[in-house]
Amino acid sequence: MPLEMWNHTPVTEFLLMGIPYTKGLENVFFVLFLAFYLLTLLGNLLILLAILTSSTLHTPMYFFLGNLSVFDIFFPSVGSPQMMLSLMGQSRTISYQGCACQLFFYHFLGCTECFLYTVMAYDRFAAICHPLRYTVIMNRRVCTVMTLGTWMGSCLHASVLTFLIFKLPYCGPNEVDNFFCDIPVVLPLACADTSVAQTVSFTNVGVVALLCFLLILASYTRIVISILKISSPEGRRRAFSTCSAHLTSILLFYGPVVLIYLRPASSPWLDSVVQVLNNIVTPSLNPLIYTLRNKDVKLALRKALLRGVYTCGS
C-alpha cells in the first residue's frame, strides 16, 4: 500500500461540482435541460414506434436506426437526471459504485454509437455501391451479427476502461469537476501513479474512435465515387440525400470526442459545455435529423399515430 494512503480514508463517495460559472442560473438550466431531455425521449420513442409498426421500414437501414434510437434514449439518462437533481438543490454526491457505473455506461453507450455509425456507413456503402446484391450482403443474419458485435464490443471496451480507472486507490480529494463521472475528471483524483491508466485509457478511446472514423471514411469515399458515376442529376441528388442525415450525425458525434479526449490540455468549463452538447443536445437532434427529410419515416409515424388515435377513439 502506498505511503500516502496510510493517512487517508478511502473515498466512498464523490462530489459532482456541476457546470462551472452557472451559479444563480440553476432554474434556467434546469428547465432548458429538462426540455431537451424530454424532447430526446419523445423523439426517439416516436422513431421506434414508426419503425416497429411499419413493415416498409423493416430494412437494414431502419433496423440500425432503431438501435441508434435505443442508444439515444439511454445515453442522456446516464448523467442528465443526476445533473438536474443537483440543479434543483438536491445532493451533489454520488457513491463510489455509482460513479463507476456512470463511467461504464457512458463509455459502453458512447462506443456503441461509434460502432453503430460505422455499421450504418457500411450499410449505405452496400446499398449505393452494390444495389443489386444489397439484400444478400445485408441479410437478417449479417445485421444481427453486426448488432450483437457492436453491443458486445462496446461492453468489453467499457469494462476495460472502468477496471483501469477504478482499480486505482482513491483517498481524497473527492471533488469531480463535472456533472457526471468520466475519465478526464475522475483519474486526477487517484492517490497513485496514473500514467499507465491514463495512457492505456486514452489510447483505447483514441484507437476505437480513429478506427471507426477510418472505416466510415473508406465507406463514404467509395460511396462518393459511385454517386459521381451516376449520369442523372436527380439520381445523384437522391443518393446523396440518403447519406446526408448519417453524415450530419457523425459530425455531431466526433466533434465532442476530439474536444474531450484528444486535446492535450483540459479545461473544466469547456469539458462541461461539450459534455452537455454531447449528452443532452445531440441525442435530441438525431430524431429531427433522421425524420425531417425522410418521407418514409414521416409517413409511417403519421399512420402509427392515426392508428393509435382511432384505436383510442373506438
Side-chain angles (χ1 to χ4, degrees), residues 93-123:
T93 60
I94 183 172
S95 67
Y96 181 89
Q97 293 80 5
C99 187
C101 286
Q102 267 195 349
L103 190 143
F104 170 81
F105 282 108
Y106 180 75
H107 284 275
F108 168 56
L109 293 167
C111 186
T112 300
E113 182 180 24
C114 188
F115 287 159
L116 267 176
Y117 283 138
T118 307
V119 170
M120 291 169 79
Y122 178 76
D123 172 71

Side-chain angles (χ1 to χ4, degrees), residues 3-20:
L3 181 61
E4 62 269 23
M5 287 190 65
W6 286 106
N7 298 323
H8 296 85
T9 305
V11 168
T12 58
E13 63 182 21
F14 292 95
L15 182 63
L16 301 175
M17 302 306 293
I19 305 171

Side-chain angles (χ1 to χ4, degrees), residues 4 17 19 35 39 62 86 113 118 147-148 161 173 175 192 220 238-239 260 262 266 271 303 313:
E4 62 269 23
M17 302 306 293
I19 305 171
L39 182 64
Y62 294 109
S86 66
E113 182 180 24
T118 307
T147 304
L148 288 175
L161 292 179
E175 295 180 348
Y220 272 100
R238 289 183 62 185
I260 295 169
L262 304 182
S266 178
D271 285 347
K303 287 181 178 179

Side-chain angles (χ1 to χ4, degrees), residues 37 76-86:
Y37 185 59
S77 301
V78 172
S80 299
Q82 178 83 27
M83 178 185 63
M84 288 186 283
L85 285 173
S86 66

Side-chain angles (χ1 to χ4, degrees), residues 106-146:
Y106 180 75
H107 284 275
F108 168 56
L109 293 167
C111 186
T112 300
E113 182 180 24
C114 188
F115 287 159
L116 267 176
Y117 283 138
T118 307
V119 170
M120 291 169 79
Y122 178 76
D123 172 71
R124 291 300 82 209
F125 158 74
I128 293 172
C129 299
H130 303 284
L132 299 179
R133 298 178 54 227
Y134 175 63
T135 54
V136 176
I137 296 173
M138 299 299 294
N139 60 58
R140 185 185 294 271
R141 181 174 177 274
V142 169
C143 291
T144 303
V145 169
M146 282 184 166

Side-chain angles (χ1 to χ4, degrees), residues 283-294:
S284 69
L285 295 178
N286 274 343
L288 299 176
I289 292 169
Y290 281 99
T291 56
L292 281 179
R293 298 181 60 186
N294 193 313

Side-chain angles (χ1 to χ4, degrees), residues 68-258:
L68 185 64
S69 293
V70 172
F71 155 82
D72 280 335
I73 290 171
F74 286 109
F75 188 63
S77 301
V78 172
S80 299
Q82 178 83 27
M83 178 185 63
M84 288 186 283
L85 285 173
S86 66
L87 287 172
M88 290 176 64
Q90 301 297 318
S91 175
R92 292 173 177 265
T93 60
I94 183 172
S95 67
Y96 181 89
Q97 293 80 5
C99 187
C101 286
Q102 267 195 349
L103 190 143
F104 170 81
F105 282 108
Y106 180 75
H107 284 275
F108 168 56
L109 293 167
C111 186
T112 300
E113 182 180 24
C114 188
F115 287 159
L116 267 176
Y117 283 138
T118 307
V119 170
M120 291 169 79
Y122 178 76
D123 172 71
R124 291 300 82 209
F125 158 74
I128 293 172
C129 299
H130 303 284
L132 299 179
R133 298 178 54 227
Y134 175 63
T135 54
V136 176
I137 296 173
M138 299 299 294
N139 60 58
R140 185 185 294 271
R141 181 174 177 274
V142 169
C143 291
T144 303
V145 169
M146 282 184 166
T147 304
L148 288 175
T150 291
W151 291 90
M152 291 174 66
S154 302
C155 184
L156 176 62
H157 168 78
S159 298
V160 170
L161 292 179
T162 306
F163 172 76
L164 281 172
I165 303 305
F166 286 94
K167 76 179 180 66
L168 295 169
Y170 291 87
C171 46
N174 68 336
E175 295 180 348
V176 175
D177 285 329
N178 210 327
F179 59 89
F180 78 108
C181 295
D182 193 15
I183 296 171
V185 289
V186 172
L187 195 55
L189 302 178
C191 50
D193 180 26
T194 63
S195 56
V196 175
Q198 186 171 5
T199 301
V200 174
S201 60
F202 282 91
T203 301
N204 196 342
V205 172
V207 167
V208 168
L210 181 61
L211 181 61
C212 289
F213 178 76
L214 291 176
L215 290 172
I216 291 170
L217 186 63
S219 294
Y220 272 100
T221 300
R222 292 289 305 275
I223 287 170
V224 170
I225 292 171
S226 296
I227 291 176
L228 292 177
K229 291 179 181 178
I230 299 174
S231 56
S232 165
E234 177 64 20
R236 285 199 297 269
R237 188 194 66 78
R238 289 183 62 185
F240 272 120
S241 69
T242 63
C243 303
S244 60
H246 185 231
L247 285 171
T248 304
S249 295
I250 289 170
L251 291 174
L252 289 172
F253 171 75
Y254 272 97
V257 170
V258 172

